[in-house]
Amino acid sequence: LAAHAARVIYNAERSAEEHERIGYPRERRQVIPNGFDLERFRPDPVARAQVRAELGLADDEPVVGMLARRHPQKDHDTLLAAATRAVGAVPRLRLLLAGAGVEPADGAFRALVARHGLEGRVLALGERHDAARLLAAVDVATLTSRTEAFPNAVGEAMAVGLPVVATDAGDVRTLLGGTGDVVPVGAADALAARWVTWLTRSPAERQRRGAAARARLAAQYALSAVARRYAEQLAEVAS
């Protein structure tokens, strides 16, 4: 049916390429990225203090966060492998993780954490619906995916004003646009090195990097601007 469509709209360049590889018409391609609510996702010192208190974290405790369901493509194994490498340089490192299947009650996930020797370092919160609050408590956001289309988790972290370290999956590099660190897929050593770089810098330096990321998101991916692009496409098709 794609050959009969006036437009084929994708939210990521990678998605367009994958579909066109199996026959979708390139000449009808439009890529419109996901948009982000910058009022909902924003720097929030009050939420940071509240969430850290709820989780028993000191204000100066270094925290790397990833919000993603447990799935082979999200590659929690590489995430945990990176943490085992980073603790030598950052002895107080903690991981804040949330998503379906990322919880102590999940025996397979608990075994994975134990295999990496990270018991007591991982805050596994399971599926949550307060991503903005949780991100406020993080110092460095990460994503270790093997494949992606358009990574909402990265954009949400940018909106909250966090330094981001992510694997080169899907449109991660395009979204970050130089405001975050991109490492090869599966590269635990590189992930750990970039986490350590940011965790050992001052809070002011992390805030400057996060502010640049948020400014890029506001300029390119604000929800209102993305909605306007959809409206323009619909108007053209209807005219």
Short mmCIF file of all heavy atoms in Angstrom, two decimals, residues 147-218:
data_model
loop_
_atom_site.label_atom_id
_atom_site.label_comp_id
_atom_site.label_asym_id
_atom_site.label_seq_id
_atom_site.Cartn_x
_atom_site.Cartn_y
_atom_site.Cartn_z
N THR A 147 20.23 -1.48 18.67
CA THR A 147 19.47 -0.90 17.55
C THR A 147 18.47 0.09 18.12
O THR A 147 18.02 -0.04 19.25
CB THR A 147 18.71 -1.96 16.73
OG1 THR A 147 17.72 -2.59 17.58
CG2 THR A 147 19.65 -3.01 16.18
N GLU A 148 18.13 1.09 17.32
CA GLU A 148 17.14 2.09 17.69
C GLU A 148 16.52 2.64 16.41
O GLU A 148 17.05 2.42 15.31
CB GLU A 148 17.79 3.26 18.44
CG GLU A 148 18.05 3.02 19.91
CD GLU A 148 16.79 3.00 20.76
OE1 GLU A 148 15.74 3.49 20.29
OE2 GLU A 148 16.86 2.50 21.89
N ALA A 149 15.44 3.35 16.56
CA ALA A 149 14.95 4.23 15.50
C ALA A 149 15.24 5.64 15.99
O ALA A 149 16.36 6.12 15.89
CB ALA A 149 13.47 4.00 15.24
N PHE A 150 14.25 6.27 16.60
CA PHE A 150 14.46 7.59 17.21
C PHE A 150 14.42 7.41 18.72
O PHE A 150 13.37 7.04 19.28
CB PHE A 150 13.38 8.57 16.75
CG PHE A 150 13.63 9.98 17.18
CD1 PHE A 150 14.36 10.83 16.40
CD2 PHE A 150 13.12 10.44 18.39
CE1 PHE A 150 14.61 12.14 16.80
CE2 PHE A 150 13.35 11.75 18.79
CZ PHE A 150 14.10 12.60 18.00
N PRO A 151 15.51 7.64 19.43
CA PRO A 151 15.62 7.28 20.85
C PRO A 151 15.02 8.33 21.78
O PRO A 151 15.70 9.28 22.20
CB PRO A 151 17.12 7.15 21.06
CG PRO A 151 17.69 8.13 20.08
CD PRO A 151 16.78 8.15 18.89
N ASN A 152 13.77 8.15 22.15
CA ASN A 152 13.11 9.11 23.04
C ASN A 152 13.87 9.28 24.36
O ASN A 152 13.91 10.37 24.92
CB ASN A 152 11.68 8.66 23.34
CG ASN A 152 10.74 8.91 22.19
OD1 ASN A 152 11.07 9.61 21.24
ND2 ASN A 152 9.56 8.32 22.25
N ALA A 153 14.45 8.19 24.86
CA ALA A 153 15.15 8.27 26.15
C ALA A 153 16.29 9.28 26.11
O ALA A 153 16.55 9.97 27.10
CB ALA A 153 15.67 6.90 26.54
N VAL A 154 16.95 9.37 24.96
CA VAL A 154 18.04 10.34 24.82
C VAL A 154 17.48 11.76 24.81
O VAL A 154 17.99 12.66 25.48
CB VAL A 154 18.86 10.06 23.55
CG1 VAL A 154 19.81 11.21 23.24
CG2 VAL A 154 19.64 8.75 23.71
N GLY A 155 16.41 11.98 24.05
CA GLY A 155 15.82 13.31 23.99
C GLY A 155 15.28 13.78 25.33
O GLY A 155 15.44 14.95 25.71
N GLU A 156 14.68 12.88 26.09
CA GLU A 156 14.16 13.25 27.41
C GLU A 156 15.30 13.65 28.35
O GLU A 156 15.18 14.61 29.10
CB GLU A 156 13.36 12.08 27.97
CG GLU A 156 12.05 11.87 27.24
CD GLU A 156 11.34 10.58 27.59
OE1 GLU A 156 11.89 9.77 28.36
OE2 GLU A 156 10.23 10.37 27.06
N ALA A 157 16.41 12.91 28.28
CA ALA A 157 17.57 13.27 29.12
C ALA A 157 18.13 14.63 28.71
O ALA A 157 18.53 15.44 29.57
CB ALA A 157 18.64 12.20 29.01
N MET A 158 18.18 14.91 27.41
CA MET A 158 18.64 16.22 26.94
C MET A 158 17.73 17.32 27.47
O MET A 158 18.20 18.38 27.90
CB MET A 158 18.67 16.24 25.42
CG MET A 158 19.72 15.32 24.80
SD MET A 158 19.49 15.14 22.99
CE MET A 158 19.94 16.80 22.40
N ALA A 159 16.43 17.09 27.43
CA ALA A 159 15.47 18.09 27.89
C ALA A 159 15.65 18.40 29.37
O ALA A 159 15.47 19.54 29.82
CB ALA A 159 14.04 17.63 27.62
N VAL A 160 16.02 17.37 30.15
CA VAL A 160 16.23 17.56 31.58
C VAL A 160 17.56 18.26 31.86
O VAL A 160 17.81 18.71 32.97
CB VAL A 160 16.13 16.19 32.30
CG1 VAL A 160 16.54 16.27 33.75
CG2 VAL A 160 14.69 15.68 32.21
N GLY A 161 18.40 18.36 30.83
CA GLY A 161 19.66 19.08 30.99
C GLY A 161 20.80 18.21 31.49
O GLY A 161 21.61 18.66 32.31
N LEU A 162 20.86 16.97 30.98
CA LEU A 162 21.90 16.05 31.42
C LEU A 162 22.95 15.81 30.34
O LEU A 162 22.61 15.79 29.15
CB LEU A 162 21.27 14.70 31.77
CG LEU A 162 20.29 14.66 32.93
CD1 LEU A 162 19.69 13.27 33.06
CD2 LEU A 162 20.98 15.07 34.23
N PRO A 163 24.20 15.58 30.71
CA PRO A 163 25.16 15.04 29.76
C PRO A 163 24.70 13.63 29.37
O PRO A 163 24.23 12.88 30.23
CB PRO A 163 26.47 14.98 30.55
CG PRO A 163 26.26 15.82 31.76
CD PRO A 163 24.80 15.78 32.05
N VAL A 164 24.83 13.29 28.11
CA VAL A 164 24.38 11.98 27.62
C VAL A 164 25.55 11.24 26.99
O VAL A 164 26.31 11.82 26.21
CB VAL A 164 23.25 12.13 26.57
CG1 VAL A 164 22.86 10.77 26.01
CG2 VAL A 164 22.04 12.83 27.18
N VAL A 165 25.67 9.96 27.34
CA VAL A 165 26.64 9.07 26.70
C VAL A 165 25.83 7.91 26.14
O VAL A 165 25.14 7.21 26.89
CB VAL A 165 27.68 8.54 27.70
CG1 VAL A 165 28.67 7.62 26.99
CG2 VAL A 165 28.42 9.70 28.38
N ALA A 166 25.88 7.70 24.82
CA ALA A 166 25.03 6.70 24.19
C ALA A 166 25.76 5.97 23.08
O ALA A 166 26.71 6.49 22.50
CB ALA A 166 23.76 7.36 23.64
N THR A 167 25.28 4.78 22.79
CA THR A 167 25.84 4.01 21.68
C THR A 167 25.31 4.56 20.35
O THR A 167 24.25 5.19 20.29
CB THR A 167 25.47 2.53 21.82
OG1 THR A 167 24.08 2.40 22.10
CG2 THR A 167 26.27 1.88 22.92
N ASP A 168 26.05 4.28 19.31
CA ASP A 168 25.76 4.81 17.97
C ASP A 168 24.68 3.97 17.28
O ASP A 168 24.94 3.26 16.31
CB ASP A 168 27.04 4.84 17.15
CG ASP A 168 26.93 5.73 15.92
OD1 ASP A 168 25.87 6.38 15.75
OD2 ASP A 168 27.89 5.77 15.14
N ALA A 169 23.47 4.05 17.79
CA ALA A 169 22.35 3.25 17.29
C ALA A 169 21.25 4.18 16.78
O ALA A 169 20.95 5.20 17.40
CB ALA A 169 21.80 2.35 18.39
N GLY A 170 20.65 3.81 15.65
CA GLY A 170 19.57 4.62 15.11
C GLY A 170 19.98 6.05 14.90
O GLY A 170 21.07 6.34 14.43
N ASP A 171 19.10 6.99 15.29
CA ASP A 171 19.36 8.41 15.09
C ASP A 171 19.96 9.09 16.32
O ASP A 171 19.83 10.29 16.51
CB ASP A 171 18.05 9.12 14.69
CG ASP A 171 17.74 8.94 13.21
OD1 ASP A 171 18.33 8.05 12.57
OD2 ASP A 171 16.90 9.68 12.69
N VAL A 172 20.64 8.32 17.16
CA VAL A 172 21.26 8.88 18.37
C VAL A 172 22.21 10.02 18.02
O VAL A 172 22.14 11.12 18.59
CB VAL A 172 22.01 7.79 19.16
CG1 VAL A 172 22.97 8.43 20.17
CG2 VAL A 172 21.03 6.89 19.88
N ARG A 173 23.10 9.79 17.07
CA ARG A 173 24.11 10.80 16.72
C ARG A 173 23.45 12.07 16.19
O ARG A 173 23.84 13.20 16.54
CB ARG A 173 25.09 10.23 15.69
CG ARG A 173 26.27 11.13 15.39
CD ARG A 173 27.20 10.46 14.39
NE ARG A 173 27.83 9.28 14.92
CZ ARG A 173 28.94 9.28 15.63
NH1 ARG A 173 29.57 10.43 15.90
NH2 ARG A 173 29.47 8.14 16.07
N THR A 174 22.43 11.91 15.34
CA THR A 174 21.73 13.07 14.79
C THR A 174 21.05 13.87 15.88
O THR A 174 21.11 15.10 15.91
CB THR A 174 20.70 12.60 13.75
OG1 THR A 174 21.37 11.91 12.70
CG2 THR A 174 19.93 13.78 13.17
N LEU A 175 20.38 13.17 16.78
CA LEU A 175 19.65 13.84 17.86
C LEU A 175 20.60 14.62 18.76
O LEU A 175 20.37 15.79 19.07
CB LEU A 175 18.87 12.80 18.67
CG LEU A 175 18.12 13.29 19.91
CD1 LEU A 175 17.15 14.40 19.57
CD2 LEU A 175 17.38 12.11 20.55
N LEU A 176 21.69 14.00 19.16
CA LEU A 176 22.63 14.68 20.05
C LEU A 176 23.32 15.86 19.37
O LEU A 176 23.59 16.88 20.00
CB LEU A 176 23.68 13.69 20.56
CG LEU A 176 23.21 12.73 21.65
CD1 LEU A 176 24.25 11.65 21.88
CD2 LEU A 176 22.92 13.47 22.94
N GLY A 177 23.61 15.73 18.09
CA GLY A 177 24.19 16.84 17.34
C GLY A 177 25.44 17.43 17.97
O GLY A 177 25.65 18.65 17.96
N GLY A 178 26.29 16.59 18.55
CA GLY A 178 27.52 17.09 19.15
C GLY A 178 27.40 17.53 20.59
O GLY A 178 28.39 17.93 21.20
N THR A 179 26.20 17.45 21.17
CA THR A 179 26.02 17.87 22.57
C THR A 179 26.17 16.71 23.55
O THR A 179 26.00 16.89 24.75
CB THR A 179 24.64 18.53 22.79
OG1 THR A 179 23.61 17.53 22.62
CG2 THR A 179 24.41 19.66 21.81
N GLY A 180 26.46 15.52 23.04
CA GLY A 180 26.66 14.35 23.89
C GLY A 180 27.76 13.49 23.32
O GLY A 180 28.32 13.79 22.26
N ASP A 181 28.07 12.41 24.00
CA ASP A 181 29.14 11.50 23.58
C ASP A 181 28.53 10.25 22.97
O ASP A 181 27.64 9.62 23.57
CB ASP A 181 30.00 11.12 24.78
CG ASP A 181 30.75 12.32 25.35
OD1 ASP A 181 31.01 13.26 24.59
OD2 ASP A 181 31.07 12.31 26.54
N VAL A 182 29.04 9.86 21.80
CA VAL A 182 28.56 8.68 21.09
C VAL A 182 29.70 7.68 20.99
O VAL A 182 30.80 8.03 20.57
CB VAL A 182 28.06 9.05 19.68
CG1 VAL A 182 27.51 7.82 18.96
CG2 VAL A 182 26.97 10.13 19.76
N VAL A 183 29.43 6.44 21.39
CA VAL A 183 30.44 5.39 21.36
C VAL A 183 29.92 4.22 20.54
O VAL A 183 28.71 4.09 20.32
CB VAL A 183 30.81 4.92 22.79
CG1 VAL A 183 31.25 6.10 23.65
CG2 VAL A 183 29.64 4.20 23.44
N PRO A 184 30.79 3.33 20.07
CA PRO A 184 30.33 2.18 19.28
C PRO A 184 29.39 1.27 20.08
O PRO A 184 29.50 1.16 21.30
CB PRO A 184 31.63 1.45 18.91
CG PRO A 184 32.69 2.50 19.01
CD PRO A 184 32.27 3.40 20.13
N VAL A 185 28.51 0.61 19.37
CA VAL A 185 27.61 -0.36 19.99
C VAL A 185 28.44 -1.46 20.67
O VAL A 185 29.43 -1.96 20.11
CB VAL A 185 26.68 -0.97 18.92
CG1 VAL A 185 25.95 -2.20 19.47
CG2 VAL A 185 25.69 0.07 18.44
N GLY A 186 28.06 -1.80 21.89
CA GLY A 186 28.72 -2.88 22.61
C GLY A 186 30.05 -2.52 23.22
O GLY A 186 30.73 -3.39 23.79
N ALA A 187 30.45 -1.27 23.16
CA ALA A 187 31.78 -0.85 23.61
C ALA A 187 31.76 -0.48 25.09
O ALA A 187 31.70 0.71 25.45
CB ALA A 187 32.30 0.30 22.77
N ALA A 188 31.84 -1.47 25.96
CA ALA A 188 31.77 -1.22 27.40
C ALA A 188 32.91 -0.33 27.89
O ALA A 188 32.71 0.54 28.74
CB ALA A 188 31.76 -2.54 28.16
N ASP A 189 34.11 -0.55 27.37
CA ASP A 189 35.25 0.27 27.79
C ASP A 189 35.04 1.74 27.46
O ASP A 189 35.32 2.62 28.28
CB ASP A 189 36.54 -0.22 27.13
CG ASP A 189 37.03 -1.55 27.70
OD1 ASP A 189 36.63 -1.89 28.83
OD2 ASP A 189 37.79 -2.24 27.01
N ALA A 190 34.56 2.01 26.25
CA ALA A 190 34.35 3.39 25.82
C ALA A 190 33.23 4.04 26.64
O ALA A 190 33.33 5.21 27.03
CB ALA A 190 34.03 3.45 24.33
N LEU A 191 32.16 3.30 26.90
CA LEU A 191 31.08 3.83 27.74
C LEU A 191 31.61 4.22 29.11
O LEU A 191 31.37 5.32 29.61
CB LEU A 191 29.98 2.78 27.91
CG LEU A 191 28.95 2.65 26.80
CD1 LEU A 191 28.21 1.32 26.95
CD2 LEU A 191 27.97 3.81 26.81
N ALA A 192 32.34 3.30 29.73
CA ALA A 192 32.86 3.55 31.07
C ALA A 192 33.77 4.78 31.08
O ALA A 192 33.70 5.61 31.99
CB ALA A 192 33.63 2.32 31.57
N ALA A 193 34.62 4.89 30.07
CA ALA A 193 35.56 6.02 30.02
C ALA A 193 34.82 7.35 29.94
O ALA A 193 35.20 8.32 30.60
CB ALA A 193 36.50 5.86 28.82
N ARG A 194 33.76 7.41 29.13
CA ARG A 194 33.01 8.66 29.00
C ARG A 194 32.20 8.95 30.26
O ARG A 194 32.07 10.11 30.67
CB ARG A 194 32.11 8.63 27.76
CG ARG A 194 32.84 8.46 26.45
CD ARG A 194 34.06 9.36 26.35
NE ARG A 194 33.73 10.77 26.47
CZ ARG A 194 34.61 11.73 26.73
NH1 ARG A 194 35.86 11.44 26.94
NH2 ARG A 194 34.22 12.98 26.80
N TRP A 195 31.64 7.91 30.89
CA TRP A 195 30.95 8.15 32.17
C TRP A 195 31.93 8.76 33.18
O TRP A 195 31.60 9.74 33.85
CB TRP A 195 30.44 6.84 32.76
CG TRP A 195 29.35 6.14 32.04
CD1 TRP A 195 28.64 6.59 30.95
CD2 TRP A 195 28.85 4.85 32.34
NE1 TRP A 195 27.73 5.65 30.57
CE2 TRP A 195 27.83 4.57 31.40
CE3 TRP A 195 29.17 3.89 33.30
CZ2 TRP A 195 27.13 3.36 31.42
CZ3 TRP A 195 28.48 2.69 33.32
CH2 TRP A 195 27.45 2.44 32.39
N VAL A 196 33.09 8.16 33.28
CA VAL A 196 34.08 8.62 34.26
C VAL A 196 34.47 10.07 33.98
O VAL A 196 34.60 10.88 34.91
CB VAL A 196 35.32 7.71 34.26
CG1 VAL A 196 36.45 8.33 35.07
CG2 VAL A 196 34.95 6.32 34.81
N THR A 197 34.64 10.39 32.70
CA THR A 197 34.99 11.77 32.35
C THR A 197 33.98 12.75 32.92
O THR A 197 34.35 13.76 33.55
CB THR A 197 35.05 11.94 30.82
OG1 THR A 197 36.14 11.16 30.32
CG2 THR A 197 35.25 13.39 30.43
N TRP A 198 32.70 12.46 32.74
CA TRP A 198 31.67 13.41 33.20
C TRP A 198 31.44 13.33 34.70
O TRP A 198 31.20 14.36 35.35
CB TRP A 198 30.37 13.19 32.43
CG TRP A 198 30.49 13.72 31.04
CD1 TRP A 198 30.61 13.01 29.88
CD2 TRP A 198 30.59 15.09 30.67
NE1 TRP A 198 30.77 13.85 28.81
CE2 TRP A 198 30.76 15.14 29.27
CE3 TRP A 198 30.57 16.29 31.38
CZ2 TRP A 198 30.88 16.34 28.57
CZ3 TRP A 198 30.69 17.49 30.69
CH2 TRP A 198 30.84 17.50 29.30
N LEU A 199 31.54 12.16 35.27
CA LEU A 199 31.30 12.04 36.71
C LEU A 199 32.41 12.66 37.54
O LEU A 199 32.20 13.03 38.70
CB LEU A 199 31.13 10.57 37.09
CG LEU A 199 29.84 9.91 36.58
CD1 LEU A 199 29.87 8.42 36.87
CD2 LEU A 199 28.60 10.55 37.17
N THR A 200 33.59 12.79 36.95
CA THR A 200 34.71 13.39 37.69
C THR A 200 34.87 14.87 37.39
O THR A 200 35.78 15.51 37.92
CB THR A 200 36.02 12.64 37.39
OG1 THR A 200 36.23 12.59 35.97
CG2 THR A 200 35.98 11.22 37.94
N ARG A 201 34.03 15.39 36.53
CA ARG A 201 34.01 16.84 36.31
C ARG A 201 33.09 17.49 37.34
O ARG A 201 32.31 16.83 38.02
CB ARG A 201 33.56 17.17 34.89
CG ARG A 201 34.60 16.81 33.85
CD ARG A 201 34.18 17.20 32.46
NE ARG A 201 35.24 16.88 31.49
CZ ARG A 201 35.11 17.04 30.18
NH1 ARG A 201 33.99 17.51 29.66
NH2 ARG A 201 36.12 16.72 29.38
N SER A 202 33.16 18.80 37.42
CA SER A 202 32.37 19.52 38.42
C SER A 202 30.90 19.53 38.01
O SER A 202 30.56 19.42 36.82
CB SER A 202 32.86 20.96 38.54
OG SER A 202 32.56 21.68 37.36
N PRO A 203 29.99 19.68 38.99
CA PRO A 203 28.57 19.83 38.66
C PRO A 203 28.33 20.97 37.67
O PRO A 203 27.46 20.85 36.80
CB PRO A 203 27.92 20.10 40.01
CG PRO A 203 28.82 19.44 40.99
CD PRO A 203 30.20 19.62 40.45
N ALA A 204 29.10 22.06 37.79
CA ALA A 204 28.92 23.20 36.88
C ALA A 204 29.24 22.80 35.44
O ALA A 204 28.55 23.22 34.50
CB ALA A 204 29.79 24.38 37.31
N GLU A 205 30.29 22.00 35.25
CA GLU A 205 30.63 21.55 33.90
C GLU A 205 29.55 20.64 33.33
O GLU A 205 29.21 20.74 32.14
CB GLU A 205 31.98 20.83 33.91
CG GLU A 205 33.17 21.75 34.15
CD GLU A 205 34.47 20.97 34.23
OE1 GLU A 205 34.67 20.24 35.20
OE2 GLU A 205 35.28 21.10 33.29
N ARG A 206 29.01 19.76 34.16
CA ARG A 206 27.92 18.90 33.69
C ARG A 206 26.70 19.73 33.35
O ARG A 206 26.00 19.46 32.35
CB ARG A 206 27.58 17.85 34.75
CG ARG A 206 28.65 16.79 34.93
CD ARG A 206 28.13 15.58 35.68
NE ARG A 206 27.74 15.89 37.04
CZ ARG A 206 28.56 15.82 38.09
NH1 ARG A 206 29.83 15.47 37.92
NH2 ARG A 206 28.12 16.09 39.31
N GLN A 207 26.44 20.75 34.14
CA GLN A 207 25.29 21.61 33.86
C GLN A 207 25.46 22.36 32.54
O GLN A 207 24.50 22.53 31.79
CB GLN A 207 25.07 22.58 35.01
CG GLN A 207 24.52 21.92 36.26
CD GLN A 207 24.58 22.82 37.48
OE1 GLN A 207 24.92 24.00 37.39
NE2 GLN A 207 24.25 22.27 38.65
N ARG A 208 26.67 22.80 32.24
CA ARG A 208 26.90 23.49 30.97
C ARG A 208 26.66 22.57 29.79
O ARG A 208 26.05 22.96 28.79
CB ARG A 208 28.31 24.07 30.93
CG ARG A 208 28.48 25.35 31.74
CD ARG A 208 29.77 26.06 31.41
NE ARG A 208 30.94 25.34 31.89
CZ ARG A 208 31.44 25.49 33.11
NH1 ARG A 208 30.89 26.32 33.96
NH2 ARG A 208 32.53 24.80 33.47
N ARG A 209 27.17 21.33 29.89
CA ARG A 209 26.92 20.38 28.81
C ARG A 209 25.43 20.09 28.68
O ARG A 209 24.88 20.03 27.58
CB ARG A 209 27.70 19.10 29.06
CG ARG A 209 27.35 17.92 28.13
CD ARG A 209 27.48 18.24 26.64
NE ARG A 209 28.84 18.36 26.20
CZ ARG A 209 29.55 17.36 25.67
NH1 ARG A 209 29.03 16.16 25.54
NH2 ARG A 209 30.79 17.58 25.28
N GLY A 210 24.76 19.89 29.80
CA GLY A 210 23.32 19.63 29.77
C GLY A 210 22.52 20.79 29.21
O GLY A 210 21.54 20.59 28.49
N ALA A 211 22.95 22.02 29.53
CA ALA A 211 22.25 23.20 29.01
C ALA A 211 22.38 23.26 27.49
O ALA A 211 21.43 23.65 26.79
CB ALA A 211 22.81 24.46 29.65
N ALA A 212 23.54 22.90 26.96
CA ALA A 212 23.72 22.89 25.50
C ALA A 212 22.81 21.85 24.86
O ALA A 212 22.22 22.08 23.79
CB ALA A 212 25.18 22.60 25.16
N ALA A 213 22.68 20.69 25.50
CA ALA A 213 21.80 19.65 24.98
C ALA A 213 20.35 20.11 24.98
O ALA A 213 19.61 19.91 24.01
CB ALA A 213 21.97 18.37 25.80
N ARG A 214 19.93 20.74 26.08
CA ARG A 214 18.55 21.21 26.16
C ARG A 214 18.30 22.30 25.12
O ARG A 214 17.23 22.34 24.49
CB ARG A 214 18.25 21.73 27.56
CG ARG A 214 16.82 22.25 27.71
CD ARG A 214 16.52 22.63 29.15
NE ARG A 214 15.29 23.40 29.25
CZ ARG A 214 14.06 22.90 29.28
NH1 ARG A 214 13.88 21.59 29.23
NH2 ARG A 214 13.00 23.69 29.38
N ALA A 215 19.26 23.19 24.92
CA ALA A 215 19.09 24.25 23.93
C ALA A 215 18.94 23.67 22.52
O ALA A 215 18.13 24.14 21.72
CB ALA A 215 20.28 25.20 23.98
N ARG A 216 19.72 22.63 22.21
CA ARG A 216 19.58 21.98 20.90
C ARG A 216 18.19 21.37 20.76
O ARG A 216 17.54 21.49 19.71
CB ARG A 216 20.64 20.90 20.72
CG ARG A 216 20.41 20.07 19.47
CD ARG A 216 21.53 19.12 19.16
NE ARG A 216 21.17 18.23 18.06
CZ ARG A 216 21.08 18.59 16.78
NH1 ARG A 216 21.34 19.83 16.43
NH2 ARG A 216 20.73 17.73 15.86
N LEU A 217 17.72 20.72 21.81
CA LEU A 217 16.40 20.09 21.75
C LEU A 217 15.32 21.14 21.53
O LEU A 217 14.39 20.95 20.74
CB LEU A 217 16.15 19.32 23.03
CG LEU A 217 15.15 18.18 22.90
CD1 LEU A 217 15.77 17.00 22.18
CD2 LEU A 217 14.64 17.75 24.27
N ALA A 218 15.43 22.26 22.24
CA ALA A 218 14.43 23.33 22.10
C ALA A 218 14.42 23.90 20.69
O ALA A 218 13.36 24.24 20.15
CB ALA A 218 14.71 24.43 23.13
#
